[in-house]
Structures are given as structure tokens and as C-alpha cells.
Amino acid sequence: MLAGLGLSLVGTGLGVAAAQQDKNAMNSAVQQSLNEQAGYTKKANSAVQGNINQQTGDTARKQIATGAAQQSDLYKSLQSSKLQNQSSVAGMDPVTQARTEAFVDQQNRAGSQLAGYGNYATQSGLSNLEGNEQLGIIGTNAKNALDILPYQIQAAGHTGDKLAFAGTGLSTLGSLAGLFGVLNKLKAPGNTPAVNPNANAPQPNVGMIPMDSGYGVPGDPGFGTVPSYLKNFSSQMGGNPFLF
Amino acid sequence: MCMGGNDSAGAMRDQQQRQQNVLNAGQGQLDTIFGPKGGTIGTNLVDPTAGFSATQQYYNSLGAGVKGDDAKKLLDQGLLFGGSQQTAGFGQDFYNKRQQDYINYANPQLTQQFQQTNKNLDYSLTNAGLTNSQASNAGKSSLQTALAQQQQGVANQGLGQAQALQQQVGQEKNTLTNQLIASGNIGSGSTNALQAASQFGAPSPFAPVGNFFNTWTSLYGANQMANSYAQLNNPAMNPYLNNRVPSNSGALGNVASYR
């Protein structure tokens, strides 16, 4: 019987341990998911930061300057090309020629500077597109990772299943053992109550309180005595306790 | 009591990992195809249900050769390719070439038109007896300036086309990235990307350049007319102006009255 009780206790303990294991596993799954999401957030921030770095005023000025320099080189290349030599205007006096060239140079500088703004706009737009693409990929990966969290929690909720199963088994075994112990105790010779051979014999005053043998069961302290309340009541009723 | 939760969660985790690998590999392919340096990518995605040979040469998403177990792992992840292809990419030289292509197309026409306009100017100046004159200098300077401005216009037009092309390429990559995200299909993504890339490499028709010096000719002609008119009003050049009397005198008033 004690062994059964012990097994039941161990089984219950295993059940509690299994529940704790489930809880820990579920917490771990959630924490793992949070860590994973934090990693994606870090990647996304890095992508955004990279794009922001491409959009600063300093970067814009560099891109404008680069575009302007490239376009200025192109103007010069175009105006000093072989075809240009074929298309020079002959017959100008040196002063007019110099004045014309200065004017053209000024126009080249202004034009190339304006062209540089186009380079900035293009590079800025491309940087935005690149940033959006990176965020799209990162966001999709993050969403996909988050989508499986319910399944992971569900799986974590069954982590202690084996332990719980063992606990339930032990508890059942303990109950059975306890029951077996009780039955064995009852069957043991020393523990069997004495059988009254006259138990089935007709008894006088059956159904009435036996005045001669008292009340209760044999062995009780008051066995064979008349309860005081009956005695008092009997005296009140004229000494006959059977009149009520 | 359910003890199958781990299996389904594991399967979901595997599926999620596969999707992530596909997206990352697809992004790598698009970066290669549309990047400045280009590179090799895998082509002809192998169908996981088709026959697989451990001895056959396969390729990963970036065109590196794989065989045997490595190939099988990629096949299971849906990232095994039957071929590879070298792509040139879209570097600055590609866009500069687009600009130069337009210049090569338009500049000879500009030069030809300039030479014709220059001859017309010479004829005009010679007919007017103004060769080596101040008027000749002014006219030629004006034409030279007009030529430089038209050359800038050609270069700017080329630059605009190069930048538009750069934006198109970037937009195309963006579109394909979105398609990759939506479909999770690296095979169709790489195929579409290669098609798009080849289309960008093909020549596109240019609009006719038109008459570069039309505006200059009109302005110069108008200027010549104005000069002629001004000379008629110049007493030094028009002796008839010496007979000019106030218009309210009732006699011949001004030069307009003579015409």
C-alpha cells in the first residue's frame, strides 16, 4: 500500500515536471522566435541605414560633382573631337575667337553642373529601389519565420509528453498497487473480523433497540447499555420506552 | 495524448528555411545579373521530381559546379540548376556606352548640318561684301556658340538616355525581386531576369535628330533683317533720311512713308 502511494507520488511529480518542461519549451520557442525577429530587424535596419547613407547631403554633393565632372569631360571630348575639327568656324579674329571660346566654356560648366543634378536623382532613386528590394526580402523572411511560431509553440507544448506519459503510468500503477495492498491486507488471517455463528439466527426484538444487550457493536464501550436519552424519555412516558 | 507536434513544426521550419534559401539565392542571382560586374548564374532549374544522377554535373544558383551529395542537397532545397550562364552585368561602362551610342548617332548629323549652315553663312557674308568684317565675326561667333550649345544638347540627350536606361534596369530588378518574393520561384526569376537583361542590351531606335540649326538660322535671318531695317534708319547709310521732316507737317514723314 505504501509502495502504491509512493508510485502515485512519483507519477504526480513526473506530471508536474512534464508540465514545467512544456512551459520551458514554449518559453524557449517564443524567445527563439523573438531572437530571430531581432536578427531580421537588425538586417532591415542595416539596409535602411545603408540607404540613408546614400541620401545625405554630402553624398548628394559628391554625386552631383561626379556627374558634373563626367559631363564636363564629355563636352570637352565632344568639342575637341575629329568631327569638331571639321566643324570649327574659320575666319574669326582672335579676340572674337577667344570671347566665343570663353562663352562656350562658361556654358559647358553651367551645363555640366546641371547634368550633375540628374546623376544625383538617378543614383538616389536607384538606392531607394535597392533598399526596397532588400527590405522586401528581409521582411518576407521575417514573416515566414514568424508564421511558424504557432506550430513551434504547439510542438513545444508536447515536449513533456513522454515524461507526462511515464508519470501517468506510474500514478496508475501506484493506484493499482495501493488497491492491491488494501485487498491483501483484508485477506490476511489476523486481520479478518471474527464471524458470529449466531449472526443469521433469529434475534428477539429485531428492529427494536435491544434493552438486554444494549446498542452498538460488541466491543464498543457502551455496548449493552441503554442510552441516557432513552432512559429519560422512558421515564417521561411512564417507564415504557416502547410507547413512542 | 499527441506527440506528433514536433514533426509538423519541424516540417514547417524546414519549409521556411527552404523559402528563405530560395529568396536569398534568387536575390543573389538578381544582384549578379543586374550588378555592375556581372558573373555566372545557374540556369535551367532542375525539377525535384525529375531523375537525378549523382555523377552528372550540376550547378548552384551562382553557377558553381556541384555533384553527388552536394547536388542532392541543393535538389532537395529546390536550388539545383542544370546549366550555368555568364552575364556581363550593368556597370557604368554599359550606361556610358549607351550615352556614347547616342552621341555617335547624333553628332555626325550635327556636324553635317553645321558645315552646311557655315557655308550658307559664308555665302551670305560674301554676297554682302562683309567677309572679314565685324559682322562676319559676330555671325561666326554666334554660329560657333550655337554649335557648342547643340553639342551640349547632344551630350545631355545621351546622358538622359543613359540615366533613363539605368532607372529602367533598376526598376526591372525591383520588379523581378517582387516577383521572386511573391512566387518564391527562383527558376522563373532567373529566366525573366536574363530575358530582361538581354532586352536592355539590344539597340533601341532613336528618334530623328531634326534640324539642329533651325533656331539659329531663324534668329540669324531675323537679325539680318533687323540690321537691314536699322541701316535704313541710319542717316549715315540712308541719304534719304536727310529729307526727313516731322511727320505731322503733312509732307513726307519717315522712312516708312517711302516704302
Side-chain angles (χ1 to χ4, degrees):
Chain A
M1 199 157 59
L2 284 176
L5 184 63
L7 283 175
S8 292
L9 284 174
V10 171
T12 305
L14 287 178
V16 171
Q20 187 64 38
Q21 201 173 9
D22 286 350
K23 182 183 167 189
N24 291 342
M26 290 164 82
N27 284 341
S28 175
V30 171
Q31 191 58 49
Q32 186 183 351
S33 178
L34 287 175
N35 292 342
E36 203 171 4
Q37 292 299 314
Y40 288 121
T41 303
K42 194 174 175 183
K43 281 184 185 175
N45 283 339
S46 175
V48 171
Q49 200 60 46
N51 189 24
I52 288 173
N53 290 339
Q54 293 296 315
Q55 309 284 351
T56 62
D58 291 340
T59 308
R61 285 180 181 85
K62 282 179 188 170
Q63 287 169 345
I64 291 167
T66 302
Q70 287 173 347
Q71 197 67 358
S72 178
D73 290 345
L74 185 65
Y75 289 160
K76 286 176 187 170
S77 162
L78 200 56
Q79 288 163 1
S80 62
S81 66
K82 186 179 175 184
L83 286 173
Q84 166 62 14
N85 291 335
Q86 294 171 9
S87 56
S88 60
V89 178
M92 272 188 284
D93 67 71
V95 173
T96 306
Q97 179 74 38
R99 189 180 296 140
T100 303
E101 287 175 359
F103 180 76
V104 168
D105 281 347
Q106 186 273 331
Q107 287 287 291
N108 282 347
R109 282 195 300 276
S112 59
Q113 184 63 29
L114 287 176
Y117 289 100
N119 183 50
Y120 161 64
T122 302
Q123 299 304 326
S124 173
L126 290 174
S127 178
N128 281 334
L129 284 175
E130 182 73 23
N132 286 341
E133 289 163 16
Q134 288 181 7
L135 287 179
I137 295 284
I138 293 168
T140 304
N141 283 338
K143 182 185 174 300
N144 288 344
L146 195 60
D147 283 347
I148 65 169
L149 179 60
Y151 297 93
Q152 288 183 308
I153 290 178
Q154 186 194 14
H158 294 283
T159 307
D161 279 1
K162 288 178 182 173
L163 202 58
F165 182 72
T168 307
L170 285 179
S171 290
T172 307
L173 202 60
S175 299
L176 289 174
L179 184 61
F180 184 74
V182 168
L183 289 176
N184 271 354
K185 191 178 179 183
L186 290 175
K187 282 182 179 176
N191 291 333
T192 307
V195 179
N196 183 4
N198 299 321
N200 294 327
Q203 297 292 321
N205 300 326
V206 172
M208 296 180 184
I209 295 174
M211 297 302 290
D212 53 348
S213 59
Y215 72 101
V217 294
D220 281 350
F223 181 72
T225 61
V226 176
S228 59
Y229 69 88
L230 284 180
K231 285 180 181 174
N232 295 338
F233 187 75
S234 174
S235 62
Q236 287 171 8
M237 296 301 291
N240 186 355
F242 300 105
L243 290 178
F244 65 90
Chain B
M1 185 177 294
C2 171
M3 286 192 279
N6 279 325
D7 294 340
S8 61
M12 291 297 291
R13 166 62 75 180
D14 289 346
Q15 173 69 14
Q16 183 259 333
Q17 192 61 50
R18 263 199 300 276
Q19 284 179 341
Q20 186 163 332
N21 290 341
V22 166
L23 285 185
N24 291 340
Q27 190 185 24
Q29 282 194 328
L30 291 177
D31 285 344
T32 302
I33 292 170
F34 292 102
K37 294 179 181 174
T40 311
I41 63 159
T43 56
N44 303 328
L45 187 69
V46 176
D47 186 353
T49 61
F52 171 77
S53 169
T55 58
Q56 189 176 333
Q57 178 70 58
Y58 293 102
Y59 301 89
N60 68 10
S61 61
L62 294 179
V66 286
K67 275 185 180 179
D69 290 342
D70 292 339
K72 185 69 173 66
K73 284 178 187 172
L74 289 176
L75 179 70
D76 293 340
Q77 293 181 358
L79 291 172
L80 188 65
F81 293 85
S84 68
Q85 183 174 337
Q86 179 75 26
T87 62
F90 295 92
Q92 193 57 45
D93 56 337
F94 175 79
Y95 303 114
N96 289 345
K97 186 174 184 304
R98 178 61 177 258
Q99 186 177 22
Q100 192 61 46
D101 283 347
Y102 181 78
I103 290 170
N104 292 344
Y105 166 75
N107 200 37
Q109 297 178 59
L110 170 63
T111 302
Q112 188 181 34
Q113 290 183 24
F114 166 77
Q115 288 172 343
Q116 187 60 47
T117 307
N118 194 25
K119 280 179 187 172
N120 290 341
L121 175 63
D122 281 341
Y123 296 151
S124 173
L125 291 170
T126 304
N127 285 341
L130 293 173
T131 309
N132 297 327
S133 66
Q134 187 62 33
S136 168
N137 277 329
K140 289 181 174 180
S141 174
S142 171
L143 181 58
Q144 187 74 50
T145 304
L147 172 64
Q149 287 173 343
Q150 292 303 329
Q151 286 168 329
Q152 286 179 9
V154 168
N156 289 343
Q157 182 72 14
L159 176 68
Q161 294 205 4
Q163 287 175 343
L165 179 63
Q166 204 166 358
Q167 289 164 0
Q168 284 173 13
V169 169
Q171 192 61 53
E172 187 66 30
K173 179 171 179 276
N174 190 263
T175 302
L176 289 168
T177 302
N178 289 335
Q179 287 180 3
L180 174 71
I181 290 171
S183 69
N185 187 342
I186 189 173
S188 66
S190 63
T191 304
N192 292 339
L194 287 172
Q195 285 176 353
S198 64
Q199 285 168 2
F200 285 129
S204 58
F206 286 132
V209 293
N211 190 344
F212 285 107
F213 295 96
N214 194 31
T215 304
W216 181 86
T217 305
S218 300
L219 287 173
Y220 187 76
N223 195 34
Q224 290 298 101
M225 289 284 291
N227 282 341
S228 300
Y229 183 81
Q231 285 168 6
L232 286 175
N233 279 319
N234 184 351
M237 301 296 292
N238 186 356
Y240 295 103
L241 288 180
N242 292 332
N243 298 327
R244 184 176 178 181
V245 291
S247 59
N248 58 0
S249 65
L252 294 175
N254 53 30
V255 66
S257 303
Y258 292 99
R259 292 194 295 169

